[in-house]
Amino acid sequence: MPADGSDQVAEQVPASAPSEGGIRPVSVWAGAGVVFFGTLLLALPQVLAHWTLLPDAVEHLGIAHSWVSGAGFVDPLIYSYYLADSQVPLPGFVVRAPVISWLLALPLSLGATIPTVSQLHVVFASAIGASTFWLANRRLPLPAALAASLGFAWCYRWVSATQNLLTEAVGVGVLLLLLAYSGRAVASVRGALVTSGLLLLAWLTRPNLVLVLVALVLAVLLEKGVRGAFRSRPLWVLVGSFAILQNSVSWVYGVVTGIRPYAHYGVLLETYYARDAAFYQKIYVGWSSYLIENLDSIVASLLANAKEVGRALFVASDYHFVGWLAVPGLIYALRRRGEGDLERRVVAFSALGFAAVLLFSWGTNDPYRLALFVGLCGWLLAGDLLAGCGAWLAARRGVSPPLARALHLAPVALVVALFAFSQSSELQLRLSARNWRDFREHGTQPPHEAADRNARRLCAKMDRNARVASQDPWSLYLWCGNAGVWIPRDLDSAALVGRYLDEQDLGYLVVDDREANSFILSSPRLEELARATNLRLLRVRDATPESRPWNAPPALANLATAR
């Protein structure tokens, strides 16, 4: 037996699984209800009081709106010139994961407004958060399962994910499906085929979710050894069928559209920040050459990124300090022997995989937001650890029944204390109360940023079918409906402005009056039509018919009120 007694702990944790016959359904529904309504209370007031539309959300909505309106499943916006021979609107799957836009298209097709779509998303995502309790309760006692679910579903970053129309919430839902089915993935050929279908759905939702396949293979290797895994027919079927599905979809889509799925994602490996892509003179050399040429800067960026990931998981309260429980929980999951081990190991290896991608991605990165999947797996591992430790302590000689019951409930008490005394929970509760008050007094308010006000002033002067280059194409699309691209930051000569106008089929440009834009403002090929504070709307005098690439649907902002 190891000196640390880990095998002894593993042998003495029968309470880490639900009692025979399972927890009573009423208790399960009550636990899920606590998680669901708590998340709803924290998240819903924000979307009741204000539109919550980040640039990425505008694109996802834009793709869905274009599809529902009959303009095709296309993305009307792009922020780089990475795809040199392509211009917006682009096939949506080239730029963005499609599943979130498919889901958004459903309420839009039924006449839902933007605020209604956001509110439905909060309800939907809150239900996904509550389903973490269902997943954990399949093999953990109710208090430990509830602790794991509350630790994740009430954390600041998950509440934020429920409020934004991004891929994170749907991605968590698909990840939970994969983890729930992982125990049957290699039990039979049928299980392998079902899992390959779920993996395809995961790839269409967020491509990094395919890491679960790697986690599953590693878990099987650890359980059966190399020889046993090599002889596993379901494992071969799983890997092979997913490879066939994924490559078939990619090939067919490439043939139909001329561009492979996720082609624009390549820009992430040749830039540090999104703004680095807004350079027209930038030459893309491939990620490996970019890595070699910028190795020192990339290493410094990765070190800084690792520091932020550590802060997000261990120091900041964004995920309720899950790192301190997730690390020992990961070791416990990998070393434990008993029922449900394969599922535990899939969770553990998934956590490692998501963390590795987060740590070794040098492109546009937001560690606090993108650590969401690490946080989810971390809290599932923490629930296992807390259940095991509680059962082991309760089984010690001399532990009285009242103390044993207290140890059984301790995981919930720990997580409630973390929530109650964390800085992020105080912020969430304060914002929730303020947003509820704002909603009762003013209703749902659209954005009032300067960019939005300026965009609205320029809409009447533009042909909605025209392509526009601007410093904020998302606001222009939201209010005016024009397909758009981020205007380059390096048009620093008259010759380069002329080349840009020749190569990009534009109807208008919108720029501010900074000196950096002097060559644009002085171009004889551009005519000023209107001003909005410091912004100038410029019409291309010699615009080609290709500058009107589509019959644009009505502006997305028109969906603010019921139709």
Side-chain angles (χ1 to χ4, degrees):
M1 183 179 70
D4 62 5
S6 59
D7 283 354
Q8 184 179 359
V9 174
E11 292 169 2
Q12 301 187 36
V13 289
S16 65
S19 58
E20 189 173 352
I23 303 296
R24 290 179 301 171
V26 65
S27 300
V28 174
W29 282 106
V34 168
V35 180
F36 173 78
F37 287 108
T39 309
L40 206 61
L41 179 66
L42 294 170
L44 190 59
Q46 166 69 26
V47 298
L48 287 173
H50 309 283
W51 292 14
T52 307
L53 293 179
L54 297 174
D56 287 3
V58 173
E59 287 193 47
H60 293 307
L61 271 172
I63 294 170
H65 179 47
S66 298
W67 191 31
V68 169
S69 301
F73 193 80
V74 294
D75 192 337
L77 300 161
I78 200 167
Y79 67 89
S80 83
Y81 296 87
Y82 178 74
L83 302 175
D85 299 326
S86 303
Q87 299 186 56
V88 290
L90 283 166
F93 196 3
V94 170
V95 185
R96 297 287 172 184
V99 168
I100 179 64
S101 294
W102 292 343
L103 292 175
L104 294 175
L106 179 59
L108 290 180
S109 67
L110 298 175
T113 65
I114 290 178
T116 300
V117 171
S118 295
Q119 292 152 21
L120 289 172
H121 183 267
V122 168
V123 175
F124 174 65
S126 297
I128 290 174
S131 66
T132 58
F133 173 73
W134 164 76
L135 176 65
N137 188 230
R138 296 168 71 220
R139 51 188 171 78
L140 295 179
L142 189 145
L146 186 58
S149 187
L150 291 176
F152 175 73
W154 287 6
C155 76
Y156 173 76
R157 290 296 168 176
W158 174 246
V159 171
S160 177
T162 68
Q163 296 166 334
N164 290 287
L165 302 176
L166 304 176
T167 59
E168 277 85 347
V170 181
V172 165
V174 175
L175 176 57
L176 290 172
L177 283 175
L178 280 168
L179 295 178
Y181 202 78
S182 60
R184 288 178 280 180
V186 291
S188 65
V189 170
R190 179 180 178 181
L193 292 173
V194 172
T195 305
S196 67
L198 290 175
L199 284 167
L200 180 66
L201 176 64
W203 178 66
L204 295 169
T205 303
R206 280 182 70 95
N208 65 327
L209 293 179
V210 176
L211 286 168
V212 176
L213 175 60
V214 179
L216 188 55
V217 171
L218 292 174
V220 173
L221 283 169
L222 187 60
E223 182 176 90
K224 298 185 176 183
V226 175
R227 181 174 297 180
F230 187 78
R231 292 177 176 177
S232 173
R233 184 183 177 192
L235 185 61
W236 282 105
V237 171
L238 170 61
V239 175
S241 59
F242 172 69
I244 292 171
L245 284 173
Q246 191 266 337
N247 282 284
S248 297
V249 170
S250 296
W251 180 78
V252 170
Y253 196 83
V255 169
V256 172
T257 67
I259 317 177
R260 58 185 171 81
Y262 294 124
H264 189 251
Y265 275 42
V267 73
L268 300 176
L269 297 178
E270 295 193 56
T271 53
Y272 291 123
Y273 307 102
R275 62 177 180 270
D276 295 339
F279 288 93
Y280 202 62
Q281 300 178 69
K282 181 178 176 62
I283 298 175
Y284 293 96
V285 295
W287 73 267
S288 56
S289 298
Y290 181 83
L291 174 62
I292 294 170
E293 292 174 6
N294 299 274
L295 186 59
D296 291 342
S297 299
I298 287 174
V299 169
S301 175
L302 292 178
L303 291 174
N305 190 45
K307 181 179 178 180
E308 291 303 302
V309 172
R311 283 184 56 82
L313 298 175
F314 291 91
V315 179
S317 58
D318 295 51
Y319 293 99
H320 292 149
F321 313 103
V322 67
W324 299 105
L325 293 171
V327 172
L330 187 146
I331 297 170
Y332 176 61
L334 293 178
R335 298 193 63 176
R336 181 176 173 177
R337 299 291 184 271
E339 186 180 353
D341 284 345
L342 183 66
E343 291 183 28
R344 290 184 181 89
R345 290 168 184 162
V346 171
V347 174
F349 283 122
S350 295
L352 289 173
F354 292 131
V357 169
L358 196 58
L359 290 170
F360 295 103
S361 296
W362 61 83
T364 301
N365 210 339
D366 181 355
Y368 283 84
R369 178 170 69 90
L370 299 180
L372 190 70
F373 300 97
V374 182
L376 170 62
C377 294
W379 271 112
L380 293 174
L381 294 170
D384 258 320
L385 177 69
L386 292 172
C389 290
W392 181 74
L393 290 171
R396 298 299 87 193
R397 184 177 300 174
V399 175
S400 64
L403 180 57
R405 285 193 293 270
L407 289 170
H408 185 65
L409 297 173
V412 176
L414 173 63
V415 172
V416 170
L418 285 174
F419 175 80
F421 296 105
S422 70
Q423 184 179 5
S424 63
S425 65
E426 180 186 356
L427 174 64
Q428 289 183 80
L429 292 170
R430 188 170 65 249
L431 287 176
S432 180
R434 188 182 71 187
N435 285 320
W436 178 248
R437 184 174 61 250
D438 289 346
F439 172 67
R440 292 184 64 184
E441 294 176 357
H442 308 292
T444 305
Q445 296 296 303
H448 292 295
E449 300 295 331
D452 298 287
R453 293 195 301 269
N454 290 336
R456 281 179 279 183
R457 293 172 61 183
L458 299 177
C459 293
K461 300 291 185 179
M462 291 190 293
D463 176 1
R464 192 172 68 225
N465 296 330
R467 187 184 292 116
V468 182
S470 70
Q471 292 159 304
D472 185 1
W474 300 277
S475 293
L476 278 177
Y477 172 74
L478 176 65
W479 295 104
C480 306
N482 292 82
V485 64
W486 211 355
I487 198 165
R489 304 170 63 193
D490 59 347
L491 299 180
D492 51 11
S493 70
L496 188 57
V497 171
R499 176 191 150 198
Y500 179 69
L501 295 175
D502 287 338
E503 295 176 349
Q504 302 295 316
D505 297 309
L506 300 171
Y508 306 93
L509 287 79
V510 178
V511 298
D512 60 30
D513 52 11
R514 290 178 299 170
E515 185 177 350
N517 294 321
S518 59
F519 290 102
I520 299 175
L521 294 169
S522 61
S523 172
R525 296 175 61 181
L526 300 172
E527 172 191 8
E528 183 174 322
L529 293 183
R531 295 191 183 194
T533 61
N534 66 328
L535 292 184
R536 300 190 187 187
L537 171 62
L538 308 174
R539 181 179 67 85
V540 180
R541 296 178 187 271
D542 54 350
T544 64
E546 288 75 19
S547 66
R548 273 70 175 168
W550 66 334
N551 291 317
L556 196 57
N558 289 354
L559 305 184
T561 56
R563 289 169 283 173

